[in-house]
Amino acid sequence: MVTQHGIKLAVYLVSSFYGDHNSKVCECLIRRGTLTLAQIIRFTELSRENVRHCLLALIHQNCVQAFSIQQEGAFGEAPKIVTHYMALFDNIIHHMRFPKFIVIVKEELGEECEKVFEALLQHGRLSFSQIVDRHKQTVSKEENFNVDNIQESFTKLVNGRFVERCPAPEPFLAPPSEEETPAKKRGAKSSKVREVSETIEQRALAAAAPMESIRFLVETHNWSDVSDKNNAEKLTAVTIGKKRKQDFLDTDGGLLDKDEKKEVLWRVNFEEFIRRLRHKACIANVMSRLNNECGIVLSAILELTRSSETKVNTGSTASVSINAVYDEVIKKQGGLGMNLERIRACLVELGCEMPTIRIDEEYSIDLKSIIELAQNEEVESIVLKRYGREAYRMFRFLSKSGRLHETDKIADTTFVEKKDAIKILYKLWKDDYLQMEKITVNGARQTQFLLWKVNRQSLWEHVLDEMYHAALNLRLRIADELEQEKEILQMPKDKVTQVEELRKRYERLKKVRIIYESSLMNLDDALMLFHDF
Amino acid sequence: MSRSISTSALKRKRPESNSLNDSLVDADRAVFNVIKSKEDMGIWTRDIKWETSLPENVVNKSLKSLLNKKLIKEVVNIKNKGRKHYMAAEFEPSKEVTGGAWYVEGNLDKELINVLKGLCLKIINSQKVVTVDGVYDFLKKHKVTTFDCTKQQIAEILNSMVLDNEIIEVKSTGLGEYHSFPIGTICYRIASGAGLGKGLKIGAMASIPCGMCPRISQCTPDGIISPSTCMYYKKWLDIEF
Ligand code: SF4
């Protein structure tokens, strides 16, 4: 679900992180879909060299994925292999969340790991030797530089699934197989089948992804060689780099040369962070809606089942035995005093059914419904703030029942004066929060009834778009504030502290920034709730 | 549909009202019969005109004389408070006309609703978990209210409190605090957010100006309404400091 303001936000993010050319290329790809190099050049009206540079940078920052397919040659020419480029919308938006990712790593693995991790975030993709290189540059003379430490941190990051091997730079997609092609022409019956089958973009991503078995595999040999060989390697790297530049400017093929593919490149595994943030959101929701003990039990279960999740928005957790849950619960802060009975009571509150016979007692938690409740809360609170208490009650009534209701029925159930009810309903409808249907009954006189309903799917999309819009506005406000106070920010610090007026302005700016940025991070939680979870 | 019911009703009522009818002039009788045929639903002046095919001034005259004789009365119809509705004197206005138990003279009785809500909340606070029957019995036994209220009314009050997110509806699990309710019984209890002084949880979007903004759909970076000129943000920052 990529909405209009989602696109605007993504383009703005790319432009503020990587400049205008990159954002132009990105916008072109997001709006028009997958394109070839020639098409991008035509649509963006940038020079060939510029576009190639942008694509290289964007691929390096995981914002674009390339893949090649065989295309039929025009006018009897032989078919040729053409490289296509697709924008990775989600990955672009993830750039806004880097501070959150850093906090997670710091909390779980400590500062050493955080440093390595930050380098990866900043550079997008790095080989291990490059990581060592970057690290060397940042270490001051007093500190001891030690490759083993970096190796240890790096391995921890990979084992924690925070870092993964990069996908293939440019997978080749075989032409659609025999059964697939004719499906296009076969009428309505098979069109359903086609809808289910993957898009070319999904196929490209699947083909590029490293095999699960090696995705988090660190080869531990010759670590110590890295530092010795380093200087020599650096030299060759430069020459290779130069040569590559020449190459890709001349040919019409992919951007990455064969040499680079040999060394394993690593990048941040966004998926794992989104998964952890999703779990965090579930636990927080349960704690506020039910109680702390339920939160402890849920977090214990998630801890046990996290590694077996195959996709981020998995519906329910894997099943775990009550004993395993117990063992995990008592390790948690506040969980030490809990016994099996209390854990069972929590499980019931979390929506589990108790078996009648307690043999091999296993439980799984429905995460999807927790997410849905959290989404409801978010939308309802917008309705409350924007349209008031009575609107809130009416909206909740319609949202809970999930079907059409007539104006009077709504007014009666929610204790709202009928004439007010119709006004409020109309306002909600005008702002796309409700769906309306008119029904005319032909009796002695014509009577018209108005029926109202919450259409979850379209409303959720609408709310998500408003949230992207709000996030963009917040970022623009931050940029504005910084621009206005540019003068102070450029002054030497001691000068600012000396003059009372300047100091005040500086303090104000600091506060405003904190308010804006924390609001943005909270809003981003809500964005993920609707888009990623 | 109403026609078939009303004719049978007319037949049934005729013997007792015959003498009255005799004393009325033709027009009055026609108007009276139409009004009476609507029983506890009443009828709008225009519709009387339409159904009797009498000119307006004649209908008005008849209405006046019937009112004087106390054979009919004026009633407020909740759906159209501005339109005059009439009903034969012996009927009590139906729920559709009055709006039901929560309406007095065509207005929602907010005071009554609030009093009942307050009472229910107190009962739930003290008993932790309740059912509709439980609240009803409690009110009856302790004679808390000076008026009678039905189980249906209690159920409606509790439901509106659920919609307000003050209490939540749960199915009894038969465990812990639900032990005295059979499994599956619909119960009500306090929502954890409310009642503890925390109030409703306000989401991330609803806590920033854009989330509450009525003009978000017109707001663009370089439009007349834009983030850089936004007054809502200015006010918001003033409050935050
Ligand atoms: S920036 Fe201001 S005008 Fe624009 S949507 Fe936000 S609150 Fe509304």
Side-chain angles (χ1 to χ4, degrees), chain B residues 3-151:
Chain B
R3 189 144 297 190
S4 69
I5 292 175
S6 55
T7 40
S8 70
L10 257 182
K11 270 179 205 146
R12 203 159 22 88
K13 297 264 156 64
R14 189 156 285 158
E16 37 168 346
S17 52
N18 252 353
S19 55
L20 270 177
N21 260 341
D22 291 342
S23 66
L24 296 173
V25 294
D26 280 354
D28 290 5
R29 188 179 304 125
V31 171
F32 182 66
N33 283 342
V34 166
I35 296 178
K36 197 167 170 181
S37 73
K38 298 292 183 257
E39 300 191 340
D40 62 357
M41 291 300 293
I43 181 169
W44 180 30
T45 348
R46 275 265 202 87
D47 289 337
I48 303 177
K49 228 178 65 195
W50 191 78
E51 288 201 17
T52 57
S53 318
L54 291 168
E56 184 156 348
N57 55 345
V58 178
V59 170
N60 285 345
K61 225 176 93 194
S62 296
L63 286 172
K64 231 183 221 159
S65 96
L66 289 170
L67 274 174
N68 277 337
K69 292 193 177 110
K70 297 214 163 41
L71 290 173
I72 59 168
K73 59 185 172 187
E74 207 182 311
V75 287
V76 182
N77 186 316
I78 178 75
K79 297 210 176 89
N80 275 302
K81 287 186 206 162
R83 296 178 177 175
K84 282 195 173 172
H85 279 72
Y86 295 94
M87 186 177 288
E90 66 254 44
F91 292 107
E92 276 306 315
S94 73
K95 206 182 138 205
E96 283 86 348
V97 175
T98 59
W102 303 109
Y103 283 82
V104 270
E105 286 161 16
N107 291 315
L108 192 62
D109 192 348
K110 291 215 166 132
E111 214 170 301
L112 171 70
I113 294 166
N114 286 336
V115 168
L116 281 176
K117 272 191 185 175
L119 283 174
C120 289
L121 202 57
K122 265 193 198 150
I123 297 172
I124 300 177
N125 260 329
S126 69
Q127 307 197 343
K128 297 281 181 289
V129 182
V130 299
T131 60
V132 173
D133 289 348
V135 174
Y136 177 75
D137 292 342
F138 186 93
L139 287 177
K140 236 171 124 184
K141 201 164 103 203
H142 295 81
K143 300 211 171 48
V144 198
T145 53
T146 49
F147 46 86
D148 278 338
C149 60
T150 60
K151 254 184 211 173

Side-chain angles (χ1 to χ4, degrees), chain A residues 354-409:
Chain A
M354 284 292 129
T356 33
I357 312 162
R358 286 177 181 165
I359 310 171
D360 293 337
E361 216 179 325
E362 283 197 340
Y363 298 95
S364 122
I365 308 283
D366 179 0
L367 297 177
K368 189 126 204 130
S369 67
I370 298 177
I371 294 294
E372 272 174 20
L373 284 171
Q375 290 172 338
N376 288 348
E377 267 179 18
E378 185 71 37
V379 176
E380 285 165 5
S381 80
I382 298 175
V383 172
L384 177 66
K385 277 280 190 164
R386 218 185 274 179
Y387 307 95
R389 191 76 200 204
E390 299 193 317
Y392 172 76
R393 219 182 296 139
M394 296 202 280
F395 180 84
R396 268 175 59 92
F397 168 62
L398 289 172
S399 159
K400 280 184 158 201
S401 96
R403 56 187 186 84
L404 287 161
H405 284 285
E406 203 252 322
T407 317
D408 280 0
K409 165 80 181 157

Side-chain angles (χ1 to χ4, degrees), chain A residues 469 473 477, chain B residues 209-210 213 215-216 219 225-227 230-233:
Chain A
H469 192 170
N473 284 352
R477 292 283 312 183
Chain B
C210 297
C213 179
R215 322 174 75 160
I216 185 163
C219 180
I225 301 172
S226 79
C230 174
M231 289 314 291
Y232 300 108
Y233 268 101

Side-chain angles (χ1 to χ4, degrees), chain A residues 285 288-290 348-349 354 377-378 381-382 384-386 389-390 392-393 396-397 400 408 412-420 444-445 466-467 469-470 472-474 476-477 480-481 508 511-512 515-516 519 522-523 526, chain B residues 44 47 50 78-79 81 83 99 102-103 106-108 110 113 117 156-157 159-160 162-166 173 175 189 192 200-206 208 210-213 216 219 221 227-228 230 233-234 236-237 240-241:
Chain A
N285 176 272
S288 80
R289 193 165 42 86
L290 303 170
V348 171
E349 296 243 35
M354 284 292 129
E377 267 179 18
E378 185 71 37
S381 80
I382 298 175
L384 177 66
K385 277 280 190 164
R386 218 185 274 179
R389 191 76 200 204
E390 299 193 317
Y392 172 76
R393 219 182 296 139
R396 268 175 59 92
F397 168 62
K400 280 184 158 201
D408 280 0
D412 281 344
T413 320
T414 56
F415 295 133
V416 178
E417 283 276 7
K418 299 205 164 138
K419 61 175 193 314
D420 297 337
R445 268 178 304 127
E466 283 193 342
M467 286 178 175
H469 192 170
L472 176 60
N473 284 352
L474 268 173
L476 288 169
R477 292 283 312 183
D480 256 16
E481 292 282 351
R508 183 192 161 273
K511 269 196 206 159
V512 169
I515 293 175
Y516 279 153
S519 299
N522 289 338
L523 180 60
Chain B
W44 180 30
D47 289 337
W50 191 78
I78 178 75
K79 297 210 176 89
K81 287 186 206 162
R83 296 178 177 175
W102 303 109
Y103 283 82
N107 291 315
L108 192 62
K110 291 215 166 132
I113 294 166
K117 272 191 185 175
E156 284 174 28
I157 290 283
N159 184 39
S160 90
V162 171
L163 293 177
D164 258 331
N165 214 359
E166 285 176 82
T173 55
L175 296 171
R189 62 159 219 236
S192 64
L200 284 173
K201 209 176 111 212
I202 296 300
M205 179 71 172
I208 56 167
C210 297
M212 306 176 241
C213 179
I216 185 163
C219 180
S228 47
C230 174
Y233 268 101
K234 287 217 174 69
W236 184 61
L237 285 181
E240 293 280 315
F241 280 125

